[in-house]
Amino acid sequence: MSGYRLHDRAVLLAALVAPFLVALALVPFRTELSATNEALIMVVAVVAVAALGTRAAGALAALSAAAWFDFFLTRPYQRFTIADGGEIQTAVLLLVVGLIVSQLAVRARRLQAVVVTDTAHLSSLQGTARLAEDGGSPEAVVEYVRRELVGLLGLRGCRFEYGTLMGNLPRLEHGGGLWLRGGSRITQYADWPDGETELRVTGGGHYYGRFLLDPLRDRPLPSEETRLVAVALAAQAGAALDTAGLSHQG
């Protein structure tokens, strides 16, 4: 089971348990706090879960918060029944606000992740370009790209193979797709295939070699944007090799 699935399951469990624990902690104060204040505290628990998880976790946390608010904090206590009309409105508002706020929290977290990812991608591309501009050898550029690919794609390993096309391996194409071409049969992958995947390196219309990608088995296939960055890095390596005038294939 991947770390991502474990995280998602843990957050779903927290969506059920966190509102329950918060409501239970409020029981000694339920005669002193207003229903509105209790509901606001429950919303905090919903936001905390949503900030860590998915939209589903946020929605589940909102439902859990409304249920335990009803059970522990409204009369009659310890029953899923609300006698007071005002408390019914508060419970409904807790559910609605919890759902809205949880979705906003998830969206904000994802936007932050996109910004961080885009910054990392730009840094990788700039680092390769800077190394080439500063007169780094083509071998140094290839090695830099190799290391960047390991981190970018979450690989177990990566090696560069000069000027050979041994075997028929799945290929990360320039458009970001992952394909295996064998005769008239073409297979597209939605996840990493078994074994190595090749990322070809060309420059000036010439083929110079390929990066052989060895992915971790428990990691999903990176996003299309990330794969396109990997292709761009390989293209920078190809440009460096072509500029140096190294021998090529084809």
Short mmCIF file of all heavy atoms in Angstrom, two decimals, residues 86-134:
data_model
loop_
_atom_site.label_atom_id
_atom_site.label_comp_id
_atom_site.label_asym_id
_atom_site.label_seq_id
_atom_site.Cartn_x
_atom_site.Cartn_y
_atom_site.Cartn_z
N GLY A 86 -33.95 26.85 17.61
CA GLY A 86 -32.72 27.62 17.38
C GLY A 86 -31.51 26.72 17.24
O GLY A 86 -30.62 26.98 16.42
N GLU A 87 -31.45 25.66 18.04
CA GLU A 87 -30.33 24.73 17.96
C GLU A 87 -30.37 23.92 16.67
O GLU A 87 -29.32 23.52 16.15
CB GLU A 87 -30.31 23.82 19.19
CG GLU A 87 -29.95 24.56 20.47
CD GLU A 87 -29.87 23.64 21.67
OE1 GLU A 87 -30.43 22.53 21.59
OE2 GLU A 87 -29.24 24.03 22.67
N ILE A 88 -31.57 23.68 16.17
CA ILE A 88 -31.69 23.00 14.87
C ILE A 88 -31.05 23.86 13.78
O ILE A 88 -30.29 23.37 12.94
CB ILE A 88 -33.17 22.71 14.53
CG1 ILE A 88 -33.74 21.68 15.49
CG2 ILE A 88 -33.30 22.24 13.08
CD1 ILE A 88 -35.21 21.41 15.29
N GLN A 89 -31.36 25.17 13.81
CA GLN A 89 -30.76 26.07 12.83
C GLN A 89 -29.25 26.11 12.97
O GLN A 89 -28.51 26.12 11.96
CB GLN A 89 -31.33 27.48 13.01
CG GLN A 89 -32.81 27.59 12.64
CD GLN A 89 -33.33 29.01 12.84
OE1 GLN A 89 -32.65 29.86 13.40
NE2 GLN A 89 -34.54 29.26 12.37
N THR A 90 -28.77 26.12 14.22
CA THR A 90 -27.32 26.15 14.44
C THR A 90 -26.66 24.89 13.89
O THR A 90 -25.59 24.94 13.28
CB THR A 90 -27.01 26.28 15.94
OG1 THR A 90 -27.62 27.47 16.44
CG2 THR A 90 -25.51 26.34 16.19
N ALA A 91 -27.31 23.73 14.12
CA ALA A 91 -26.75 22.47 13.61
C ALA A 91 -26.70 22.45 12.09
O ALA A 91 -25.71 22.00 11.49
CB ALA A 91 -27.58 21.30 14.13
N VAL A 92 -27.77 22.96 11.45
CA VAL A 92 -27.80 23.00 9.99
C VAL A 92 -26.73 23.95 9.47
O VAL A 92 -26.01 23.65 8.51
CB VAL A 92 -29.20 23.43 9.49
CG1 VAL A 92 -29.18 23.66 7.98
CG2 VAL A 92 -30.23 22.37 9.83
N LEU A 93 -26.61 25.11 10.12
CA LEU A 93 -25.58 26.07 9.71
C LEU A 93 -24.18 25.50 9.92
O LEU A 93 -23.27 25.73 9.12
CB LEU A 93 -25.74 27.37 10.50
CG LEU A 93 -26.91 28.27 10.09
CD1 LEU A 93 -27.05 29.44 11.05
CD2 LEU A 93 -26.74 28.77 8.65
N LEU A 94 -24.00 24.75 11.00
CA LEU A 94 -22.70 24.10 11.24
C LEU A 94 -22.36 23.18 10.08
O LEU A 94 -21.22 23.17 9.59
CB LEU A 94 -22.74 23.32 12.55
CG LEU A 94 -21.56 22.35 12.80
CD1 LEU A 94 -20.24 23.11 12.83
CD2 LEU A 94 -21.78 21.60 14.11
N LEU A 95 -23.33 22.40 9.64
CA LEU A 95 -23.09 21.48 8.53
C LEU A 95 -22.76 22.25 7.25
O LEU A 95 -21.78 21.94 6.56
CB LEU A 95 -24.31 20.60 8.31
CG LEU A 95 -24.26 19.65 7.10
CD1 LEU A 95 -23.08 18.70 7.21
CD2 LEU A 95 -25.57 18.87 6.97
N VAL A 96 -23.57 23.27 6.93
CA VAL A 96 -23.38 24.03 5.69
C VAL A 96 -22.04 24.78 5.71
O VAL A 96 -21.26 24.72 4.76
CB VAL A 96 -24.55 25.01 5.47
CG1 VAL A 96 -24.25 25.92 4.27
CG2 VAL A 96 -25.85 24.25 5.25
N VAL A 97 -21.79 25.50 6.82
CA VAL A 97 -20.54 26.25 6.93
C VAL A 97 -19.34 25.31 6.93
O VAL A 97 -18.31 25.59 6.30
CB VAL A 97 -20.54 27.12 8.20
CG1 VAL A 97 -19.18 27.75 8.42
CG2 VAL A 97 -21.60 28.21 8.09
N GLY A 98 -19.48 24.18 7.62
CA GLY A 98 -18.39 23.21 7.64
C GLY A 98 -18.06 22.70 6.25
O GLY A 98 -16.88 22.57 5.88
N LEU A 99 -19.10 22.41 5.46
CA LEU A 99 -18.87 21.94 4.09
C LEU A 99 -18.19 23.01 3.24
O LEU A 99 -17.23 22.72 2.52
CB LEU A 99 -20.21 21.54 3.46
CG LEU A 99 -20.85 20.26 3.97
CD1 LEU A 99 -22.26 20.11 3.43
CD2 LEU A 99 -20.01 19.04 3.59
N ILE A 100 -18.67 24.25 3.35
CA ILE A 100 -18.10 25.33 2.54
C ILE A 100 -16.66 25.61 2.94
O ILE A 100 -15.75 25.68 2.10
CB ILE A 100 -18.95 26.60 2.67
CG1 ILE A 100 -20.34 26.38 2.05
CG2 ILE A 100 -18.25 27.79 2.00
CD1 ILE A 100 -21.29 27.53 2.28
N VAL A 101 -16.43 25.77 4.24
CA VAL A 101 -15.09 26.11 4.72
C VAL A 101 -14.10 24.99 4.44
O VAL A 101 -12.94 25.23 4.09
CB VAL A 101 -15.13 26.44 6.23
CG1 VAL A 101 -13.72 26.62 6.78
CG2 VAL A 101 -15.93 27.71 6.47
N SER A 102 -14.55 23.75 4.58
CA SER A 102 -13.64 22.62 4.31
C SER A 102 -13.21 22.59 2.85
O SER A 102 -12.04 22.33 2.55
CB SER A 102 -14.31 21.30 4.70
OG SER A 102 -15.38 20.99 3.82
N GLN A 103 -14.14 22.90 1.94
CA GLN A 103 -13.79 22.91 0.52
C GLN A 103 -12.83 24.05 0.21
O GLN A 103 -11.90 23.90 -0.59
CB GLN A 103 -15.05 23.04 -0.34
CG GLN A 103 -16.08 21.93 -0.12
CD GLN A 103 -15.47 20.55 -0.12
OE1 GLN A 103 -14.87 20.14 -1.11
NE2 GLN A 103 -15.61 19.82 0.97
N LEU A 104 -13.04 25.21 0.85
CA LEU A 104 -12.13 26.33 0.66
C LEU A 104 -10.73 26.00 1.19
O LEU A 104 -9.72 26.37 0.59
CB LEU A 104 -12.67 27.58 1.35
CG LEU A 104 -13.94 28.19 0.73
CD1 LEU A 104 -14.44 29.35 1.59
CD2 LEU A 104 -13.68 28.68 -0.69
N ALA A 105 -10.68 25.31 2.33
CA ALA A 105 -9.39 24.94 2.91
C ALA A 105 -8.62 23.98 2.00
O ALA A 105 -7.41 24.11 1.80
CB ALA A 105 -9.59 24.32 4.29
N VAL A 106 -9.34 23.01 1.44
CA VAL A 106 -8.71 22.05 0.52
C VAL A 106 -8.20 22.77 -0.72
O VAL A 106 -7.09 22.53 -1.20
CB VAL A 106 -9.70 20.94 0.14
CG1 VAL A 106 -9.13 20.08 -0.99
CG2 VAL A 106 -10.01 20.07 1.35
N ARG A 107 -9.02 23.69 -1.24
CA ARG A 107 -8.62 24.43 -2.44
C ARG A 107 -7.38 25.28 -2.17
O ARG A 107 -6.46 25.32 -2.99
CB ARG A 107 -9.77 25.32 -2.91
CG ARG A 107 -9.44 26.11 -4.17
CD ARG A 107 -10.66 26.85 -4.69
NE ARG A 107 -10.34 27.66 -5.84
CZ ARG A 107 -10.23 27.21 -7.09
NH1 ARG A 107 -10.42 25.92 -7.32
NH2 ARG A 107 -9.93 28.01 -8.08
N ALA A 108 -7.35 25.94 -1.03
CA ALA A 108 -6.19 26.77 -0.68
C ALA A 108 -4.93 25.92 -0.57
O ALA A 108 -3.85 26.32 -1.01
CB ALA A 108 -6.46 27.51 0.63
N ARG A 109 -5.06 24.73 0.04
CA ARG A 109 -3.90 23.84 0.19
C ARG A 109 -3.39 23.38 -1.17
O ARG A 109 -2.18 23.31 -1.41
CB ARG A 109 -4.28 22.63 1.04
CG ARG A 109 -3.11 21.70 1.35
CD ARG A 109 -3.54 20.62 2.32
NE ARG A 109 -4.59 19.78 1.79
CZ ARG A 109 -4.37 18.71 1.02
NH1 ARG A 109 -3.13 18.35 0.72
NH2 ARG A 109 -5.37 17.98 0.58
N ARG A 110 -4.32 23.08 -2.08
CA ARG A 110 -3.91 22.63 -3.41
C ARG A 110 -3.26 23.75 -4.21
O ARG A 110 -2.29 23.52 -4.95
CB ARG A 110 -5.12 22.07 -4.16
CG ARG A 110 -5.58 20.73 -3.59
CD ARG A 110 -6.74 20.15 -4.36
NE ARG A 110 -7.10 18.83 -3.86
CZ ARG A 110 -8.12 18.12 -4.31
NH1 ARG A 110 -8.91 18.60 -5.27
NH2 ARG A 110 -8.38 16.93 -3.81
N LEU A 111 -3.78 24.97 -4.08
CA LEU A 111 -3.17 26.10 -4.77
C LEU A 111 -1.75 26.35 -4.26
O LEU A 111 -0.85 26.65 -5.03
CB LEU A 111 -4.03 27.35 -4.58
CG LEU A 111 -5.34 27.39 -5.36
CD1 LEU A 111 -6.15 28.62 -4.98
CD2 LEU A 111 -5.08 27.38 -6.87
N GLN A 112 -1.57 26.20 -2.94
CA GLN A 112 -0.24 26.36 -2.37
C GLN A 112 0.70 25.29 -2.91
O GLN A 112 1.86 25.56 -3.23
CB GLN A 112 -0.30 26.29 -0.85
CG GLN A 112 1.04 26.49 -0.17
CD GLN A 112 0.95 26.34 1.34
OE1 GLN A 112 0.06 25.69 1.85
NE2 GLN A 112 1.87 26.96 2.05
N ALA A 113 0.21 24.05 -3.01
CA ALA A 113 1.03 22.96 -3.54
C ALA A 113 1.42 23.22 -4.99
O ALA A 113 2.55 22.93 -5.41
CB ALA A 113 0.28 21.63 -3.42
N VAL A 114 0.48 23.78 -5.78
CA VAL A 114 0.78 24.10 -7.18
C VAL A 114 1.88 25.14 -7.27
O VAL A 114 2.80 25.03 -8.09
CB VAL A 114 -0.50 24.59 -7.90
CG1 VAL A 114 -0.15 25.19 -9.26
CG2 VAL A 114 -1.48 23.44 -8.08
N VAL A 115 1.80 26.18 -6.43
CA VAL A 115 2.81 27.23 -6.45
C VAL A 115 4.18 26.66 -6.10
O VAL A 115 5.19 26.95 -6.76
CB VAL A 115 2.43 28.36 -5.47
CG1 VAL A 115 3.59 29.35 -5.32
CG2 VAL A 115 1.18 29.08 -5.96
N VAL A 116 4.23 25.83 -5.05
CA VAL A 116 5.50 25.23 -4.64
C VAL A 116 6.06 24.34 -5.74
O VAL A 116 7.25 24.36 -6.05
CB VAL A 116 5.31 24.43 -3.34
CG1 VAL A 116 6.56 23.63 -3.01
CG2 VAL A 116 4.97 25.36 -2.18
N THR A 117 5.17 23.55 -6.37
CA THR A 117 5.62 22.64 -7.43
C THR A 117 6.13 23.41 -8.63
O THR A 117 7.18 23.09 -9.20
CB THR A 117 4.46 21.73 -7.86
OG1 THR A 117 4.03 20.96 -6.74
CG2 THR A 117 4.90 20.79 -8.98
N ASP A 118 5.39 24.45 -9.05
CA ASP A 118 5.82 25.24 -10.19
C ASP A 118 7.17 25.92 -9.93
O ASP A 118 8.01 26.01 -10.82
CB ASP A 118 4.77 26.31 -10.52
CG ASP A 118 3.52 25.71 -11.16
OD1 ASP A 118 3.58 24.53 -11.57
OD2 ASP A 118 2.50 26.41 -11.25
N THR A 119 7.37 26.38 -8.70
CA THR A 119 8.64 27.01 -8.34
C THR A 119 9.78 26.00 -8.43
O THR A 119 10.87 26.31 -8.93
CB THR A 119 8.57 27.58 -6.92
OG1 THR A 119 7.52 28.55 -6.85
CG2 THR A 119 9.88 28.25 -6.53
N ALA A 120 9.54 24.78 -7.96
CA ALA A 120 10.57 23.73 -8.03
C ALA A 120 10.89 23.37 -9.47
O ALA A 120 12.06 23.17 -9.83
CB ALA A 120 10.10 22.50 -7.25
N HIS A 121 9.85 23.28 -10.31
CA HIS A 121 10.07 22.97 -11.72
C HIS A 121 10.91 24.06 -12.39
O HIS A 121 11.86 23.75 -13.14
CB HIS A 121 8.73 22.85 -12.44
CG HIS A 121 7.94 21.65 -12.04
ND1 HIS A 121 6.64 21.43 -12.42
CD2 HIS A 121 8.27 20.57 -11.26
CE1 HIS A 121 6.21 20.29 -11.92
NE2 HIS A 121 7.19 19.76 -11.22
N LEU A 122 10.57 25.31 -12.13
CA LEU A 122 11.31 26.41 -12.73
C LEU A 122 12.76 26.41 -12.26
O LEU A 122 13.68 26.66 -13.05
CB LEU A 122 10.64 27.74 -12.36
CG LEU A 122 11.28 29.01 -12.93
CD1 LEU A 122 11.29 28.97 -14.45
CD2 LEU A 122 10.53 30.24 -12.43
N SER A 123 12.97 26.09 -11.00
CA SER A 123 14.33 26.04 -10.46
C SER A 123 15.15 24.97 -11.17
O SER A 123 16.34 25.18 -11.47
CB SER A 123 14.27 25.77 -8.96
OG SER A 123 15.56 25.64 -8.42
N SER A 124 14.55 23.81 -11.45
CA SER A 124 15.27 22.74 -12.14
C SER A 124 15.69 23.17 -13.54
O SER A 124 16.84 22.96 -13.96
CB SER A 124 14.38 21.49 -12.23
OG SER A 124 14.15 20.93 -10.97
N LEU A 125 14.76 23.78 -14.27
CA LEU A 125 15.06 24.22 -15.63
C LEU A 125 16.11 25.33 -15.64
O LEU A 125 17.02 25.33 -16.48
CB LEU A 125 13.77 24.69 -16.32
CG LEU A 125 12.73 23.60 -16.58
CD1 LEU A 125 11.41 24.22 -17.02
CD2 LEU A 125 13.22 22.60 -17.61
N GLN A 126 15.98 26.27 -14.71
CA GLN A 126 16.96 27.36 -14.64
C GLN A 126 18.34 26.84 -14.27
O GLN A 126 19.36 27.33 -14.79
CB GLN A 126 16.50 28.41 -13.62
CG GLN A 126 15.31 29.24 -14.09
CD GLN A 126 14.86 30.23 -13.04
OE1 GLN A 126 15.00 29.99 -11.84
NE2 GLN A 126 14.31 31.35 -13.47
N GLY A 127 18.39 25.87 -13.36
CA GLY A 127 19.68 25.32 -12.95
C GLY A 127 20.41 24.66 -14.11
O GLY A 127 21.63 24.83 -14.27
N THR A 128 19.67 23.93 -14.95
CA THR A 128 20.29 23.28 -16.10
C THR A 128 20.79 24.31 -17.11
O THR A 128 21.91 24.21 -17.63
CB THR A 128 19.28 22.35 -16.79
OG1 THR A 128 18.67 21.50 -15.82
CG2 THR A 128 19.96 21.49 -17.84
N ALA A 129 19.94 25.32 -17.37
CA ALA A 129 20.33 26.36 -18.32
C ALA A 129 21.55 27.13 -17.82
O ALA A 129 22.46 27.45 -18.60
CB ALA A 129 19.15 27.31 -18.55
N ARG A 130 21.57 27.42 -16.53
CA ARG A 130 22.69 28.17 -15.97
C ARG A 130 24.00 27.39 -16.07
O ARG A 130 25.05 27.94 -16.38
CB ARG A 130 22.39 28.53 -14.52
CG ARG A 130 23.38 29.52 -13.89
CD ARG A 130 23.00 29.84 -12.46
NE ARG A 130 21.65 30.35 -12.37
CZ ARG A 130 20.63 29.70 -11.79
NH1 ARG A 130 20.83 28.50 -11.25
NH2 ARG A 130 19.44 30.23 -11.75
N LEU A 131 23.91 26.08 -15.83
CA LEU A 131 25.11 25.24 -15.91
C LEU A 131 25.66 25.24 -17.33
O LEU A 131 26.88 25.33 -17.54
CB LEU A 131 24.76 23.82 -15.46
CG LEU A 131 25.90 22.81 -15.45
CD1 LEU A 131 27.00 23.23 -14.49
CD2 LEU A 131 25.37 21.42 -15.05
N ALA A 132 24.77 25.16 -18.32
CA ALA A 132 25.22 25.16 -19.72
C ALA A 132 25.79 26.52 -20.10
O ALA A 132 26.83 26.60 -20.79
CB ALA A 132 24.05 24.81 -20.62
N GLU A 133 25.14 27.60 -19.65
CA GLU A 133 25.62 28.95 -19.99
C GLU A 133 26.97 29.25 -19.35
O GLU A 133 27.77 30.01 -19.91
CB GLU A 133 24.58 29.98 -19.53
CG GLU A 133 23.29 29.95 -20.35
CD GLU A 133 22.22 30.84 -19.75
OE1 GLU A 133 22.49 31.46 -18.70
OE2 GLU A 133 21.14 30.93 -20.34
N ASP A 134 27.21 28.66 -18.19
CA ASP A 134 28.47 28.91 -17.49
C ASP A 134 29.62 28.07 -18.02
O ASP A 134 30.72 28.06 -17.45
CB ASP A 134 28.31 28.65 -15.99
CG ASP A 134 27.42 29.69 -15.32
OD1 ASP A 134 27.19 30.76 -15.92
OD2 ASP A 134 26.95 29.44 -14.19
#
